[in-house]
Amino acid sequence: MSTPFPFTAVVGQDDLRLALLLNAVSPAVGGVLVRGEKGTAKSTAVRALSALMPEVDVVAGCRFSCAPAAPDPACPDGPHEVGPGVQRPARMVELPVGASEDRLVGALDIERALAEGVKAFEPGLLADAHRGILYVDEVNLLHDHLVDLLLDAAAMGASYVEREGVSVRHAARFLLVGTMNPEEGELRPQLLDRFGLTVEVAASREPDQRVEVVRRRLAYDDDPDGFAARWADEETAVRARIVAARKLLPSVVLGDGPLRQIAATCAAFEVDGMRADIVMARTATTLAAWAGRTEVLAEDVRQAALLALPHRRRRNPFDAPGLDEDKLDETLEEFGGGDSSNGSGGSDDSGDSGDEDPDPDGPDGGGGQPPQEGPDGGNDDSSGESSGEVPAQGEPSESGQAPSPGAGEQAPVRAAEPFRTKVLSVPGLGEGAAGRRSRARTEHGRTTGARRPQGALTKLHLAATVQAAAPHQRARGRSGPGLVVRRDDLRQATREGREGNLVLFVVDASGSMAARQRMSAVKGAVLSLLLDAYQRRDKVGLVTFRGSTGEVALPPTSSVDAAAVRLESLPTGGRTPLAAGLLRAHDVLRVERLRDPARRALVVVVTDGRATGGPEPVALSGRAARLFAADGVASVVVDCESGPVRLGLAAQLAGELGGTAVTLDELRADSIAGLVRDVQGNSRRAA
């Protein structure tokens, strides 16, 4: 095993190190989610923490790491007698993004359970991580049901495995750490709330600190053992401090004053539920123990709020996490009462939060607060006011009059307020990644049939298994009440659930869309569809067309908020190269099918249907549209045409695509009942 990079040698990232250390002292804090751009030492710090964890006493031979002084009475390897055990280092277990449910929670041998009545259980990663660290890199890319499972286990301290009436339970208490790059997609707010603390990390912009990062990394790469030896004293000191804080923690008193500040802070920031209050209380007491105190002060409450509340302020995927620190200080001061601390900052011995000194000897410092956006930052729903903007040269205005010479590209306008849209789905039955949009064969969902298992059996179809085994009982010499089951009798349940799709937006940004009121409404509609895609766990992409070309504004990605940012900055103007936009979208789908052939696509074309760019624009756009129909790609055209006289060009385009057309008004959930049926019907006719 390679020597890990020393935790105390990590330069800067004070909040990240503090959050990890608090969870090492008290895993009851609830784990930590580390958000940040690539290359910011997220994984390095987490892996380095494992070397600081004190050794644990375990029952010899127990696969579930039972404590010898108080073994788990329900341990599958038990029962164990109370007595001396053996010491081993605390484990750090990594959960890969592609892990299955059985790999996470463990698996039962169904064949032995049916034939012999034996609970033959193979432990999963949750059992391996008991009394250690469970690390999930790129947790935002993990399937939602797996995130739910590990968060449930972290909250309850136990893992349950149920298979056809056979159940196994074992203890699973661990320090949960997840890391993610927000550019690759966000976690749902419900899952964010389940992490106790969150930390925003970013690379330092100070040259001296960046130099020190490079210097230490190169020194470590040249001689890992020698570099670790130079930091051994600092590592030993921090390890001893963790042990001391653990012993002191039960003696820490959370008085009525700090508790009232915690409740007032959570109420002032309007966080949902009571989990934030509980996490803040546990974090504040752990901060006091880490500082060597038995009394919680206002400074502990403030630091706990900065770690526990920013991600709980996020109400939708386009809100930036953050906390208004001025409002926090006002709340703490108002409800501080006679507390000796003024509640306006960190403790006196924590150091200056703006200190750029790379010396890591003070990992308890609360300096380097994550960048904050303010309580309402991230998304302005205002539709913008109407100004004197005019369509680009060469395009008619909304009134049908030609623009004045010299009119050019229009500045971006803000999106109108988003609304709830009707669900758009891909017809047929897919086999893509788990999601919430279109019908698919999945591991979870309603049972629709049975088949012979291919590989390991995961979901037993009991009735089909019994039916397959029943005719052979006499030939197999059955004499007792038990059913004689062989491998060939087992049947895997086939299930139908929902999959996530690739929703590719093809947006007309030409001069005919440049009128501020129209483009604001168009952006509001696309933003609404992006919110729907986020909730249904889709990948999204954005292609725009204007002037003479189509452009990939955003390649297919799981980061819906990145698409919203690109949409917000989208300018308009020029002619309408509809064919170029469709051909560019077709090329994006071709490449994406090579990367992820199981994920089906839904193309949403947002346009008024006009085609004015290039030679023979109408005929060429029709040929480009028929490429989608030939490939069987599901499509919807959102008709943006307005005014008393309508040409119906968007409906003609939808016919060429083999899809359906809806107006902006019909896109609303309460206005387009039956839209999904129309999409499916048109797709079947096109096929």
Side-chain angles (χ1 to χ4, degrees):
M1 181 177 178
S2 61
T3 303
F5 191 90
F7 185 85
T8 51
V10 174
V11 179
Q13 307 296 11
D14 294 325
D15 289 317
L16 169 58
R17 292 189 293 153
L18 177 60
L20 291 172
L21 289 169
L22 293 178
N23 276 273
V25 172
S26 176
V29 166
V32 58
L33 175 65
V34 186
R35 297 163 43 92
E37 58 196 23
K38 52 187 175 292
T40 50
K42 300 188 298 293
S43 300
T44 298
V46 176
R47 294 189 173 99
L49 179 67
S50 62
L52 293 180
M53 299 290 286
E55 291 189 336
V56 294
D57 293 321
V58 298
V59 174
C62 178
R63 297 175 297 167
F64 301 88
S65 303
C66 282
D72 181 7
C75 176
D77 283 356
H80 302 298
E81 296 292 335
V82 176
V86 295
Q87 274 198 334
R88 65 161 176 78
R91 295 175 180 150
M92 192 193 78
V93 177
E94 295 194 39
L95 175 63
V97 170
S100 65
E101 180 180 341
D102 286 344
R103 184 71 186 98
L104 176 63
V105 300
L108 287 170
D109 189 331
I110 300 297
E111 184 175 1
R112 291 188 64 192
L114 288 175
E116 305 173 27
V118 175
K119 292 183 182 179
F121 180 69
E122 183 64 30
L125 295 177
L126 291 181
D128 293 341
H130 179 46
R131 304 177 68 196
I133 302 172
L134 180 61
Y135 172 47
V136 188
D137 195 13
E138 307 294 354
V139 65
N140 53 322
L141 303 183
L142 199 64
H143 285 175
D144 281 355
H145 76 281
L146 292 182
V147 179
D148 283 328
L149 283 171
L150 71 90
L151 290 174
D152 282 341
M156 296 185 298
S159 175
Y160 295 85
V161 183
E162 300 279 349
R163 293 289 188 275
E164 305 298 336
V166 180
S167 62
V168 172
R169 174 211 168 275
H170 65 82
R173 291 182 294 275
F174 46 82
L175 191 169
L176 175 63
V177 183
T179 59
M180 60 175 283
N181 183 348
E183 294 178 356
E184 297 172 339
E186 288 283 359
L187 278 172
R188 290 185 288 122
Q190 298 90 331
L191 297 178
L192 281 173
D193 183 58
R194 301 288 294 278
F195 280 93
L197 310 180
T198 187
V199 176
E200 296 277 342
V201 296
S204 172
R205 298 298 183 258
E206 292 293 328
D208 290 343
Q209 195 170 54
R210 296 175 74 96
V211 166
E212 186 63 21
V213 170
V214 175
R215 181 181 292 120
R216 293 187 187 183
R217 185 70 213 190
L218 293 178
Y220 170 77
D221 291 340
D222 289 341
D223 183 10
D225 293 333
F227 184 81
R230 292 197 293 273
W231 290 89
D233 292 342
E234 287 82 354
E235 295 281 286
T236 301
V238 174
R239 189 180 299 110
R241 189 172 176 183
I242 291 174
V243 174
R246 285 183 175 183
K247 293 179 179 178
L248 183 61
L249 184 61
S251 304
V252 176
V253 177
L254 178 63
D256 290 342
L259 187 55
R260 184 172 178 81
Q261 286 181 316
I262 290 171
T265 300
C266 292
F269 285 98
E270 300 179 347
V271 296
D272 296 331
M274 296 297 298
R275 184 176 283 120
D277 303 63
I278 296 171
V279 170
M280 275 190 64
R282 289 172 174 167
T283 305
T285 55
T286 307
L287 279 163
W290 180 248
R293 289 184 270 103
T294 58
E295 181 183 3
V296 174
L297 304 180
E299 63 197 49
D300 301 320
V301 176
R302 186 180 194 277
Q303 184 65 63
L306 291 173
L307 293 172
L309 294 188
H311 60 302
R312 293 183 166 90
R313 292 278 299 151
R314 196 169 186 268
R315 301 305 177 91
N316 68 63
F318 308 138
D319 289 340
L323 210 62
D324 185 341
E325 294 194 41
D326 291 336
K327 182 178 179 180
L328 172 61
D329 291 336
E330 291 173 4
T331 303
L332 292 175
E333 183 176 356
E334 179 182 354
F335 291 89
D339 194 294
S340 59
S341 173
N342 59 16
S344 61
S347 62
D348 294 339
D349 60 355
S350 62
D352 183 358
S353 63
D355 188 6
E356 297 295 341
D357 185 357
D359 185 357
D361 290 343
D364 56 318
Q369 302 298 339
Q372 308 297 339
E373 295 285 345
D376 300 319
N379 185 29
D380 186 341
D381 289 332
S382 63
S383 60
E385 15 181 68
S386 117
S387 67
E389 289 192 347
V390 294
Q393 185 173 357
E395 289 289 348
S397 67
E398 288 290 293
S399 62
Q401 298 177 347
S404 60
E409 179 181 295
Q410 305 303 311
V413 299
R414 289 195 177 278
E417 184 176 355
F419 52 84
R420 188 170 65 89
T421 66
K422 200 71 174 180
V423 59
L424 310 176
S425 65
V426 178
L429 197 63
E431 296 181 345
R436 297 184 176 185
R437 183 171 296 277
S438 305
R439 295 173 54 224
R441 299 182 185 91
T442 62
E443 288 295 317
H444 300 271
R446 63 186 182 89
T447 300
T448 58
R451 61 174 174 81
R452 293 181 181 273
Q454 299 172 348
L457 179 71
T458 56
K459 303 291 182 182
L460 177 73
H461 194 297
L462 184 58
T465 299
V466 172
Q467 187 176 12
H472 308 290
Q473 296 305 295
R474 181 175 297 177
R476 293 173 183 172
R478 172 187 171 186
S479 58
L483 191 67
V484 181
V485 180
R486 294 181 179 172
R487 176 68 184 175
D488 291 342
D489 301 327
L490 299 178
R491 295 294 182 268
Q492 175 85 21
T494 57
R495 301 190 175 190
E496 181 179 312
R498 293 280 170 177
E499 67 176 359
N501 298 116
L502 167 61
V503 182
L504 182 62
F505 294 94
V506 185
V507 180
D508 185 348
S510 64
S512 64
M513 307 288 287
R516 177 177 285 272
Q517 186 174 3
R518 178 191 285 190
M519 200 59 198
S520 176
V522 167
K523 286 188 175 183
V526 178
L527 190 65
S528 304
L529 290 167
L530 283 171
L531 278 167
D532 182 69
Y534 167 80
Q535 293 165 352
R536 300 185 187 282
R537 314 308 290 163
D538 295 315
K539 291 181 70 174
V540 297
L542 178 62
V543 173
T544 64
F545 55 95
R546 55 187 287 271
S548 60
T549 61
E551 177 184 349
V552 181
L554 182 71
T557 175
S558 297
S559 180
V560 175
D561 50 341
V565 171
R566 301 292 174 89
L567 176 71
E568 195 70 23
S569 61
L570 178 66
T572 55
R575 304 187 71 82
T576 312
L578 177 58
L582 292 175
L583 290 174
R584 181 57 61 92
H586 188 268
D587 189 56
V588 169
L589 292 183
R590 178 184 60 81
V591 174
E592 194 63 19
R593 275 195 294 268
L594 297 175
R595 294 175 177 169
D596 190 358
R599 188 182 291 269
R600 298 185 294 164
L602 173 65
V603 176
V604 180
V605 185
V606 185
T607 181
D608 57 10
R610 301 180 187 184
T612 60
E616 299 184 352
V618 176
L620 186 58
S621 62
R623 289 198 293 271
R626 287 191 287 274
L627 292 175
F628 291 85
D631 290 342
V633 178
S635 59
V636 176
V637 178
V638 179
D639 185 358
C640 302
E641 192 174 27
S642 60
V645 179
R646 303 197 179 204
L647 302 178
L649 298 177
Q652 295 178 24
L653 175 62
E656 300 280 5
L657 288 165
T660 190
V662 296
T663 66
L664 288 174
D665 290 336
E666 292 172 338
L667 193 60
R668 295 180 180 272
D670 55 359
S671 302
I672 54 171
L675 173 61
V676 177
R677 183 175 62 253
D678 292 341
V679 174
Q680 295 174 343
N682 288 340
S683 298
R684 283 194 292 270
R685 286 194 294 273

